[in-house]
Amino acid sequence: MLTAADRTASDLSLSAWTWIDSTPDGLVAFMMITPSSGEARGLRALASTAGLALPDQPLPSPGIRIVLDGPDALVLLPRTTGAIRVPADDGWSDFVRRGGAIVILMGQRYLDPSARRIDVEEYLQTALLSRHLWLGKTTLAADYTARQCRGEACICCGRPEPPLGPAGHAYTPTSGAPLGWAVVAHLACIEETAC
């Protein structure tokens, strides 16, 4: 399914495709993002900022988070103030809502927004060989308690016992903030999730 994406903080004009496919690890939801016109060198920087890796490297789990917002998926990128809004069909949304893994693909080269599935597959083959494709794996962002949203409890374990320290930002459709909010965590919890 072809979906058009909003501009991001890096001011790139993007297109996106979403689909579910069978892999050796089972069913996976895919989201591919490409420039809407020409070749966007800025997409390489965006992929790097997002923590994506080249295809010959281990598939990372970067800081990208996906939040469902009505019929759309918001792609929330780490270390940026923007998000990419991608329309997603009900099947894709239901799959990721049930905990399905999401593989994000960013291709540096243009792909016609009217491309069909076979065109997307050909694009992926070419992009893999030319190393103009970056990948990462994520899941739908978790829901948090009201105390976690207010920064009164650890964003990792949910316990309010001190000492709690700054732990960056978290994202959720129920936070009351457009994209995210400052959160706190126990030092031990942060160290555990970094392993």
Side-chain angles (χ1 to χ4, degrees):
M1 174 184 124
L2 169 68
T3 55
D6 285 350
R7 290 178 177 267
T8 67
S10 62
D11 204 33
L12 292 169
S13 182
L14 304 170
S15 294
W17 290 258
T18 59
W19 70 95
I20 298 172
D21 211 344
S22 181
T23 73
D25 296 325
L27 290 178
V28 173
F30 289 88
M31 178 183 290
M32 186 173 80
I33 300 168
T34 68
S36 291
S37 60
E39 183 169 328
R41 299 213 182 276
L43 203 60
R44 180 183 305 173
L46 186 63
S48 176
T49 299
L52 301 179
L54 290 168
D56 58 353
Q57 298 172 345
L59 189 65
S61 294
I64 294 175
R65 293 293 173 259
I66 306 291
V67 172
L68 295 178
D69 182 24
D72 299 334
L74 292 179
V75 182
L76 306 161
L77 304 169
R79 299 178 294 280
T80 66
T81 57
I84 304 168
R85 182 177 293 274
V86 177
D89 67 22
D90 290 342
W92 194 92
S93 297
D94 290 343
F95 178 78
V96 301
R97 206 176 268 117
R98 290 191 312 268
I102 305 165
V103 172
I104 304 285
L105 308 157
M106 283 191 183
Q108 182 176 332
R109 294 194 174 148
Y110 168 77
L111 178 60
D112 189 313
S114 65
R116 297 165 296 144
R117 177 67 186 267
I118 193 165
D119 301 320
V120 170
E121 290 174 10
E122 288 175 11
Y123 177 95
L124 287 172
Q125 291 301 316
T126 302
L128 283 168
L129 293 174
S130 65
R131 297 175 52 92
H132 287 114
L133 187 70
W134 297 271
L135 304 92
K137 186 175 180 180
T138 190
T139 57
L140 198 62
D143 288 327
Y144 299 101
T145 66
R147 293 190 82 175
Q148 288 171 307
C149 291
R150 291 191 304 265
E152 298 171 356
C154 178
I155 197 67
C156 301
C157 72
R159 294 190 332 266
E161 297 84 26
L164 294 166
H169 290 76
Y171 304 98
T172 175
T174 60
S175 69
L179 292 179
W181 73 102
V183 295
V184 295
H186 297 109
L187 180 59
C189 289
I190 294 171
E191 289 171 353
E192 279 180 31
T193 58
C195 297

